[in-house]
Amino acid sequence: MKFNAIQLLMALSLALTLFSCMENDPERPLGEYDTGILIMNEGSFGANDGEVFHLNPSTGMIKTNIFEKANSRPFAGLLEDINYENDNLYLVANTGKIEIVNPGDFTSLGAVTSDLDQPRSLTVNSGKLFISDYGPYDENYGTPNSYIAVVRNTLGGSVTKKIPVSRKPEDLISFGKYILVAGSEEGKVEVIDTEKEEVIKIIEVAGKPAVFYEAAGKIWLYSTGSDEVYFYSFHLDNFTLATTNIFPIPNATGKIAFGNNDIMYLLTSSGWPDYNDGIAQVSVLGPELNPNWYSGSGFYGIGFDTTRGELYVANANGFQGNGTITVLDENGNELQTFESGRGPSGFLMR
């Protein structure tokens, strides 16, 4: 086949364009832990032996203690939360530190190891870390001095400011230059301007605010009451309540997994001494409601793999040795059970 001059010039131009794109935008190869499921094992109080396991759901292969193996030192804390933000993984220990790791191989990138009391979660905004922290206990085990800690570097460092908020802040979510804070004990959502580093608005809600999530182009809040649960959405132009949905689900724990087709799975527990635990199934955007979808005891964490349509339920087994994970399909059928670490409490699907 022969090419004329115009065809040759077009082919050369295309080749140069493709080469330029490859040079300017190289694709980062996937690391060992960039896919699969991260299992968060809280650890036991006093031993501070929290750790992360990695599961390949296709092969069933589990790799244990991946932080310690990657960094030649134990995590040494009670693991409260794992957040993937700003292309980094943030491991939050409620014993007073944040470890920042490379998502692909879990090697350390930085840390926040001082001036924290009982951190719960975090978000990244305006090139800073905003960390929810219960603050220190007083003589009555109250937390009157809860705060959002500000670290002006996404790879850690020192706490530069503590923004006072209502007692026991939990989850946070970013929107533009703002973050919303779930104040679990006083039923408040506090809005923080991340540039001013101060609370600019407080929204009163019922129940105990627990988890934020995004759906249908909105930010939602999941909040729990003694006999019901609440799902709130917000007007984000002026930070006011938009909708409130209430479902009669008693004993909700605040732990939730987001499934396919707008279905949510909520952990419930009667607490001590019976510990009759269960999973309720609900859809905020539809009529589905099944408060007794699955039952058992010792449930401590929950997560959903949307790709495979599988629900992961963590059982702490009373912190007597290692915990176990049960995998369910979307009809509540048990697919498998396997051993995890001490106090498995959450999952991050990659």
Side-chain angles (χ1 to χ4, degrees), residues 293-305:
W293 183 76
Y294 187 80
S295 61
S297 64
F299 298 164
Y300 201 58
I302 192 168
F304 193 89
D305 182 351

Side-chain angles (χ1 to χ4, degrees), residues 7 10 18 20 24 40 54 96 104 128 130 136 175 205 251 281 318 339 341:
Q7 288 174 318
M10 291 177 63
L18 292 173
S20 176
N24 295 331
M40 182 174 70
H54 177 266
K128 311 170 191 177
F130 290 85
F175 174 76
V205 296
N251 302 320
Q281 187 186 68
E339 186 175 288

Side-chain angles (χ1 to χ4, degrees), residues 137-158:
Y137 284 125
D138 63 15
E139 63 276 9
N140 298 313
Y141 292 98
T143 57
N145 298 309
S146 296
Y147 57 86
I148 303 300
V150 182
V151 177
R152 295 177 184 149
N153 189 325
T154 59
L155 294 181
S158 60

Side-chain angles (χ1 to χ4, degrees), residues 31-68:
E32 185 175 9
Y33 306 124
D34 276 321
T35 59
I37 298 173
L38 298 177
I39 302 171
M40 182 174 70
N41 301 292
E42 180 179 299
S44 56
F45 182 76
N48 291 351
D49 54 352
E51 249 295 355
V52 180
F53 287 10
H54 177 266
L55 169 68
N56 182 331
S58 297
T59 65
M61 179 178 292
I62 297 175
K63 294 193 175 181
T64 64
N65 303 336
I66 61 177
F67 178 91
E68 181 173 5

Side-chain angles (χ1 to χ4, degrees), residues 90 100 112 122-124 127-131 149-151 153-154 156:
Y90 295 87
I100 305 157
V112 183
L122 63 73
T123 191
V124 176
K128 311 170 191 177
L129 303 182
F130 290 85
I131 305 163
V150 182
V151 177
N153 189 325
T154 59

Side-chain angles (χ1 to χ4, degrees), residues 100-120:
I100 305 157
V101 301
N102 183 309
D105 61 13
F106 254 67
T107 54
S108 177
L109 299 174
V112 183
T113 57
S114 62
D115 295 323
L116 295 174
D117 293 284
Q118 301 179 76
R120 305 293 293 179

